[in-house]
Amino acid sequence: NTDGAEVGVINGLTVLSIGDYTFGKPAKITANTYMGKNGIIDIEREIEMSGTSHSKGVLILSGYLGETFAQDFPLSLTASLCFEQLYNGVDGDSASSTELYAILSSLSDVPINQAIAVTGSVNQKGEIQPIGGANDKIEGFFQICKMRGLNGTHGVMIPKQNIHNLNLSVEVADAVKNGLFHIYAISTIEEGIEILTGVPAGRKDENGKFTPGTINYLAYQKLKRYADASKLMRE
């Protein structure tokens, strides 16, 4: 989908290589979250369709979630991630931020704007890191949006460090200049989730509490409910 909004669903940007040719191939990524102790389940990794770099990127997400939300209680979370209808394998960590946004959306029950596609690696501190293939990824999503009719809402989100790598076609550059297509260059997960949802990310105050109504507050409250329920079950 390139319009509307959905919870736990996001458009990721990948690059497909066939012989000497490479081109961008947008992919739908979904996340479901529920109570459990399995942590983040990467379906691609479970069926051995992901490379080591992608698996490392998924494991990094656990570190971010732990530091952000599990300072007062243990994580009682199972989160399943899937590249929908992708059957030729996946590697690299350039989708790790995309997967994290999907998890945060699922935890907070706040929908993600489907008109924006995302690429970018993330570290355990929530900092966005540069990736490869930025031009192909942007062009691939642009072509789909163009075929469906550009309306000024479509765009892509890339790491800020990749700005200097951009060498886009005149067609894409003109669409950006005319406000028909947007390129958001970001540095942190907080910046990205705010663009995708239109809701403040939320940062901890001096008492270590998130501002009510923010993405992180809503995610924290759900994780706390999971932890409380898990504790009652053990008792």
Side-chain angles (χ1 to χ4, degrees):
N1 293 334
T2 54
D3 58 17
E6 296 185 57
V7 173
V9 179
I10 191 168
N11 288 321
L13 296 172
T14 68
V15 173
L16 184 63
S17 296
I18 302 177
D20 294 330
Y21 297 92
T22 62
F23 51 90
K25 184 180 184 298
K28 176 184 283 190
I29 299 173
T30 60
N32 284 338
T33 54
Y34 43 97
M35 191 172 69
K37 288 290 187 181
N38 294 321
I40 298 176
I41 299 173
D42 174 21
I43 291 176
E44 269 66 39
R45 184 179 67 205
E46 294 297 315
I47 60 174
E48 299 181 352
M49 282 181 60
S50 75
T52 54
S53 295
H54 179 255
S55 297
K56 178 181 179 180
V58 172
L59 291 173
I60 285 172
L61 304 187
S62 297
Y64 174 84
L65 293 173
E67 181 179 59
T68 305
F69 301 112
Q71 299 300 311
D72 304 321
F73 51 80
L75 279 180
S76 298
L77 170 71
T78 298
S80 62
L81 288 167
C82 182
F83 279 73
E84 302 294 350
Q85 291 194 298
L86 186 66
Y87 306 115
N88 58 341
V90 60
D91 201 4
D93 65 350
S94 63
S96 56
S97 69
T98 315
E99 293 164 327
L100 183 51
Y101 294 133
I103 290 174
L104 290 174
S105 170
S106 180
L107 286 173
S108 64
D109 291 317
V110 176
I112 285 174
N113 184 355
Q114 302 298 296
I116 301 174
V118 182
T119 185
S121 168
V122 65
N123 65 23
Q124 291 192 105
K125 301 298 183 180
E127 299 165 338
I128 303 299
Q129 302 172 136
I131 44 81
N135 292 292
D136 291 328
K137 292 174 179 178
I138 294 172
E139 298 271 359
F141 190 66
F142 174 83
Q143 291 301 327
I144 287 180
C145 296
K146 176 191 169 187
M147 287 188 288
R148 296 179 177 180
L150 294 170
N151 57 19
T153 66
H154 301 114
V156 296
M157 188 182 298
I158 65 171
K160 191 173 184 178
Q161 301 95 317
N162 281 114
I163 291 176
H164 302 297
N165 305 128
L166 296 185
N167 184 24
L168 301 168
S169 66
V170 173
E171 183 180 32
V172 176
D174 285 344
V176 173
K177 289 178 184 177
N178 295 325
L180 293 173
F181 193 76
H182 306 278
I183 298 176
Y184 304 95
I186 64 165
S187 301
T188 65
I189 285 293
E190 287 80 12
E191 289 179 58
I193 198 66
E194 290 178 357
I195 292 171
L196 290 168
T197 65
V199 177
R203 291 167 177 79
K204 291 181 179 179
D205 59 21
E206 61 274 9
N207 298 316
K209 304 296 183 183
F210 292 110
T211 304
T214 61
I215 297 290
N216 286 337
Y217 175 84
L218 296 170
Y220 177 89
Q221 292 300 315
K222 180 176 283 189
L223 288 169
K224 191 174 188 307
R225 290 199 302 271
Y226 287 168
D228 292 343
S230 178
K231 184 179 178 180
L232 285 173
M233 291 174 65
R234 290 196 304 271
E235 293 174 350

